Amino acid sequence: MASGWRFYSFGLQYVSVFDSLREDPRFTEVVATIREDLTEQLDWYDKNSDMPPETIGL
């Protein structure tokens, strides 16, 4: 996630270690930001998934 790809962020909603933070406004703001980023990234991926990996930096 530090590199900017948010595909691993799904764990935030399932991993119990975050349970105590779920109602914290800062945590919910971070999760909302990550979900927005992920939506954009998934849209980009859908539009470009047919590109060879070497052309998209994977």
Side-chain angles (χ1 to χ4, degrees):
M1 287 180 49
S3 66
W5 284 96
R6 307 299 193 184
F7 294 108
Y8 298 110
S9 65
F10 289 108
L12 292 174
Q13 59 190 349
Y14 300 114
V15 178
S16 62
V17 72
F18 297 112
D19 287 350
S20 65
L21 299 173
R22 297 204 193 283
E23 301 302 318
D24 185 300
R26 294 173 296 172
F27 183 78
T28 56
E29 183 179 339
V30 167
V31 170
T33 299
I34 289 171
R35 287 184 178 157
E36 289 172 18
D37 289 349
L38 181 57
T39 299
E40 291 177 24
Q41 289 176 6
L42 289 172
D43 183 52
W44 179 91
Y45 180 78
D46 286 342
K47 292 176 183 173
N48 297 285
S49 62
D50 59 336
M51 296 175 66
E54 61 272 8
T55 64
I56 57 175
L58 294 177

